[in-house]
Amino acid sequence: MSDARSILKEVFGYDEFREPQGAIVDTLLDGEDALVVMPTGGGKSLCYQLPALLREGTGVVVSPLIALMQDQVAAMAELGIAACYLNSTLSPEAAADVTRRYLHGELDLLYIAPERLIQERSVQLFQQREPALFAIDEAHCVSQWGHDFRADYLQLSMLHELFPLVPRIALTATADERTRLEICRRLNLEDAAQFVCGFDRPNIQYRITQKDNEKRQLLQFLHNEHAEDSGIVYCLSRNKVDKTAHWLQQQGFQALPYHAGMSAEQRQHHQQRFLREDGIVMVATIAFGMGIDKPDVRFVAHLDLPKSVESYYQETGRAGRDGKPATAWMCYGLQDVIKLRQMLDDSSAEESFKRIEQHRLNAMLGLCEITSCRRQALLSYFGEQLLSQCGNCDTCLKPVDTWDGTEAVQKALSCVYRTGQRFGTNHIIDVLRGSDNEKIRQWHHQQLSTYGIGKDMDANQWRSVFRQLIARGYLKVDFDHYNALRLTEQCRALLRGDERIALRRDSREATLRPARANRDSTVSPEDKHLWDALKELRTALAEQHGVPPYVIFHDATLMEMVELRPQNPAALRRINGVGDAKLERYGEQFLALLGNFGTTGDGPAFNFPEYSGL
Ligand code: ADP
Ligand code: ZN
């Protein structure tokens, strides 16, 4: 263990393990298998990187994310770790070179795509020289129920038979019990030590707001809270991604689109910019994000409803991996509910599958409409209990107003019934509000007893009622009949007057964080010069080394430099995130810069150094 600790500081620059990294490392060092379920940002990679350094041989990391391997290898190089990758993007010569280096024992880590690993030549390679361990990243890809299923992952069970003495570690951020069991069964990990961490991400603020004008709402959110930050905006369709990105550009944001309809080069290019530059807003379909380990994504905004709570958790989880405050913001409305239900209905999947998806969507809608703490609901979905309210979600910060909707709901439901359950929301609202139009006259709906009984509420208020009724399962939408609303069994008690119903009162979203200018609480105005200078130096070094800025140093590491003002190598090395390799590489330049600022926060002692010559 003392070996592990000294490597933790020397190579990674960290003083302490996070729970339960230490125990996982020990398990692998003892030659045992492990299953690790840890939320995004928990620190999974260290769990196999560190034992790979300490055990004889190379650590082999199986990952489906080919596009990210190059960056992972570059990040390892910055730490002084010898890493390579094997996948289809390598030329035969380059692959032969990697193989040679592997056989000579020159590599600490080898990243490999699953389809490559299961090939005969790879198996032979590993038989010639046994790896230190196998790390199976994104292990939920073995699950046929999940959305990331990869057939190649199923064959990874052979590792157990072919290399019984090599410890294996499977890692995932997918929380649910069924997936966990499936991973163990399919990968022969029933006897593995299990490390299942809590899923709370306390630094993420969850907010779900009602849609009235999504563009205006998004703009207000960005301007007020994340004007210069990196973030992701998720949309359902490619078309909407393109339009939204374009529109954000016009509003002065550095926004880029990302979806499966773009060429691979374009996507790669945009992903690179997102990783390497500060303050890029990626507007994307869910095709973007898996495995993106940019630690300083400050917000994830959803303009459309995710299909399930699992997706919501995963997508929002890309924010705030560095543990600093981040926002998960979503706006949704009646149309989203209808659209998603329709997509499900139209899909050619089997009935049993559709039913499961329907269930998942309902749970997601439940989370949207809930009037109590969102985090409690989110965690309880994953079987975890949060005893008190979180204080960091919209419903905690600004408790939801509810109103007794019983009478309004009775009017709404009987109007659906009287019009024959053949009309969509808009027409029903017209009837309730006593509108006079062609369609009303054509169907003689002005003669109905429910005509005009809802004049006391405006169309928006009625839409809110219908959204909640659909979301909560009192009404269902018939997509084969022009989105006609139909009553469900659940309505009986309400219509008989045996049940009362409380509805959310939708209100305009309040700004829940102070504006950007006074939010940078960690950097005081007098430290701002140094902070900016450190970031500038980091960016220059990152460009020079062809890696993202956070690979040089995290924000948290720069922040510690601002606070502690180290003035010599020994003091600099004590900063969290500064290991031996980085001290040697960058120590001098950072110390020179820090020297200019002295030990107090008075600003620069003399002019900024020039970095252009780097
Ligand atoms: P995951 O793969 O679980 O999403 P990562 O392995 O990318 O998470 O780690 C998330 C962040 O936490 C990384 O930036 C990593 O450098 C940092 N980290 C990991 N372990 C520690 C530790 N013991 N102390 C401080 N920071 C850590
Ligand atoms: Zn809460």
Side-chain angles (χ1 to χ4, degrees):
M1 194 65 210
S2 61
D3 277 353
R5 274 191 168 270
S6 53
I7 298 258
L8 181 67
K9 181 61 198 167
E10 280 163 24
V11 177
F12 298 91
Y14 300 133
D15 295 326
E16 301 288 340
F17 281 117
R18 285 183 188 159
E19 274 295 315
Q21 285 173 334
I24 298 169
V25 168
D26 280 347
T27 304
L28 292 171
L29 290 181
D30 289 343
E32 308 287 337
D33 297 336
L35 171 70
V36 175
V37 185
M38 206 187 259
T40 308
K44 285 187 283 298
S45 353
L46 196 90
C47 300
Y48 57 81
Q49 288 162 350
L50 204 155
L53 295 179
L54 279 171
R55 283 181 64 90
E56 173 64 29
T58 305
V60 172
V61 186
V62 190
S63 164
L65 307 166
I66 292 179
L68 298 177
M69 286 184 180
Q70 204 170 352
D71 272 356
Q72 283 169 319
V73 165
M76 291 299 99
E78 290 297 319
L79 294 173
I81 296 175
C84 281
Y85 60 87
L86 273 179
N87 64 35
S88 51
T89 66
L90 284 189
S91 67
E93 296 76 40
D97 190 50
V98 171
T99 308
R100 187 190 53 75
R101 293 186 62 194
Y102 174 85
L103 287 173
H104 283 181
E106 290 171 19
L107 300 180
D108 298 315
L109 285 173
L110 176 65
Y111 291 85
I112 188 165
E115 61 275 14
R116 182 90 175 203
L117 175 69
I118 59 179
Q119 290 171 5
E120 187 56 32
R121 55 177 169 171
S122 305
V123 171
Q124 279 171 2
L125 178 68
F126 298 141
Q127 276 167 339
Q128 276 178 358
R129 191 182 177 109
E130 287 219 328
L133 55 85
F134 286 109
I136 301 165
D137 210 359
E138 314 289 347
H140 58 276
C141 292
V142 295
S143 166
Q144 274 160 318
W145 289 103
H147 35 76
D148 299 325
F149 174 63
R150 313 263 167 147
D152 297 323
Y153 260 65
L154 292 178
Q155 294 189 50
L156 295 179
S157 61
M158 61 144 185
L159 294 178
H160 176 56
E161 285 115 51
L162 292 175
F163 306 97
L165 297 179
V166 179
R168 294 169 303 146
I169 171 171
L171 310 107
T172 179
T174 299
D176 69 281
E177 176 85 26
R178 188 171 61 179
T179 309
R180 199 183 312 158
L181 291 173
E182 210 175 341
I183 293 173
C184 287
R185 192 162 50 80
R186 296 204 182 273
L187 295 180
N188 276 315
L189 281 169
E190 277 102 346
D191 297 329
Q194 294 205 7
F195 299 90
V196 181
C197 302
F199 272 80
D200 191 13
R201 302 280 311 278
N203 60 315
I204 299 182
Q205 182 176 94
Y206 295 104
R207 281 156 52 187
I208 302 177
T209 186
Q210 264 65 54
K211 198 178 274 187
D212 56 64
N213 176 339
E214 61 182 3
K215 279 186 181 168
R216 185 190 55 71
Q217 289 173 290
L218 176 65
L219 199 61
Q220 183 183 339
F221 167 68
L222 293 179
H223 273 314
N224 287 348
E225 304 180 42
H226 293 287
E228 292 161 26
D229 292 337
S230 296
I232 307 173
V233 176
Y234 280 116
C235 305
L236 203 55
S237 71
R238 298 171 184 185
N239 185 21
K240 185 162 165 186
V241 163
D242 286 331
K243 280 194 185 141
T244 309
H246 183 68
W247 176 77
L248 282 175
Q249 284 161 5
Q250 289 174 329
Q251 304 299 316
F253 288 89
Q254 298 193 66
L256 297 173
Y258 188 106
H259 57 68
M262 292 161 47
S263 72
E265 297 81 60
Q266 273 272 297
R267 268 182 288 159
Q268 178 71 8
H269 177 61
H270 287 182
Q271 177 172 311
Q272 288 296 337
R273 285 196 58 194
F274 180 67
L275 294 175
R276 289 193 181 182
E277 294 172 33
D278 282 332
I280 301 266
V281 177
M282 190 68 114
V283 185
T285 57
I286 51 168
F288 177 74
M290 188 186 175
I292 291 293
D293 53 5
K294 182 175 167 62
D296 53 0
V297 175
R298 292 269 68 85
F299 68 88
V300 169
H302 279 95
L303 289 184
D304 292 300
L305 195 66
K307 280 204 261 304
S308 64
V309 178
E310 285 93 341
S311 315
Y312 175 73
Y313 179 81
Q314 243 184 32
E315 286 151 28
T316 55
R318 288 165 191 149
R321 289 169 80 118
D322 54 10
K324 302 172 89 202
T327 320
W329 180 89
M330 173 161 107
C331 79
Y332 103 110
L334 177 58
Q335 280 315 310
D336 296 272
V337 183
I338 294 182
K339 199 158 57 183
L340 268 187
R341 288 245 155 106
Q342 178 158 27
M343 278 171 66
L344 258 181
D345 213 60
D346 289 349
S347 93
S348 53
E350 272 180 46
E351 277 311 310
S352 61
F353 182 77
K354 277 195 200 173
R355 254 200 311 278
I356 292 174
E357 291 295 295
Q358 191 65 254
H359 246 75
R360 292 192 166 162
L361 176 58
N362 288 344
M364 184 65 225
L365 289 170
L367 183 66
C368 292
E369 297 292 347
I370 201 172
T371 52
S372 56
C373 174
R374 302 233 195 247
R375 193 181 311 271
Q376 277 181 329
L378 187 60
L379 290 175
S380 98
Y381 184 82
F382 295 118
E384 242 180 85
Q385 225 186 337
L386 186 69
L387 291 174
S388 53
Q389 302 220 333
C390 79
N392 194 26
C393 71
D394 55 349
T395 51
C396 280
L397 291 164
K398 187 171 175 287
V400 182
D401 214 6
T402 58
W403 57 290
D404 184 342
T406 312
E407 206 182 309
V409 165
Q410 282 167 346
K411 289 179 188 170
L413 296 179
S414 51
C415 192
V416 169
Y417 183 72
R418 300 254 172 246
T419 49
Q421 309 191 57
R422 320 143 108 209
F423 297 91
T425 321
N426 288 334
H427 183 71
I428 305 285
I429 293 176
D430 282 343
V431 177
L432 281 165
R433 303 219 344 103
S435 309
D436 180 24
N437 63 33
E438 178 108 15
K439 198 164 172 185
I440 299 263
R441 274 176 260 126
Q442 180 193 343
W443 292 93
H444 304 295
H445 280 164
Q446 68 275 50
Q447 289 161 19
L448 293 175
S449 58
T450 53
Y451 181 75
I453 56 171
K455 278 191 176 139
D456 52 330
M457 283 167 37
D458 68 24
N460 269 333
Q461 288 168 315
W462 278 116
R463 260 193 286 278
S464 164
V465 170
F466 281 101
R467 186 197 75 234
Q468 297 184 60
L469 288 175
I470 295 169
R472 287 158 71 164
Y474 290 98
L475 287 174
K476 77 175 205 257
V477 182
D478 186 345
F479 303 111
D480 295 330
H481 283 99
Y482 311 102
N483 296 350
L485 296 176
R486 298 199 194 284
L487 307 183
T488 68
E489 270 303 299
Q490 226 176 301
C491 294
R492 277 177 196 276
L494 272 176
L495 283 169
R496 275 201 310 259
D498 293 348
E499 190 183 300
R500 303 201 72 77
I501 183 169
L503 295 177
R504 281 180 82 99
R505 194 186 301 281
D506 293 344
S507 62
R508 281 224 160 173
E509 189 188 20
T511 299
L512 295 177
R513 273 191 210 285
R516 171 83 199 181
N518 20 0
R519 183 166 62 88
D520 247 346
S521 53
T522 24
V523 187
S524 62
E526 57 272 23
D527 286 337
K528 182 95 169 70
H529 283 305
L530 175 55
W531 171 245
D532 288 341
L534 288 169
K535 285 214 298 198
E536 208 178 301
L537 174 56
R538 175 177 69 174
T539 304
L541 290 168
E543 267 168 32
Q544 190 188 25
H545 287 238
V547 293
Y550 57 80
V551 169
I552 306 287
F553 285 127
H554 275 194
D555 282 0
T557 302
L558 298 190
M559 198 67 81
E560 241 183 271
M561 290 187 197
V562 170
E563 276 159 26
L564 301 177
R565 308 281 174 116
Q567 298 293 322
N568 56 55
L572 184 58
R573 192 176 178 281
R574 279 196 291 276
I575 303 264
N576 226 2
V578 183
D580 288 343
K582 289 190 181 175
L583 182 67
E584 189 176 320
R585 254 173 236 207
Y586 309 123
E588 217 170 299
Q589 280 150 304
F590 277 89
L591 283 171
L593 176 59
L594 286 157
N596 290 342
F597 282 81
T599 46
T600 55
D602 304 333
F606 49 86
N607 279 343
F608 286 103
E610 251 333 303
Y611 305 122
S612 48
L614 283 173

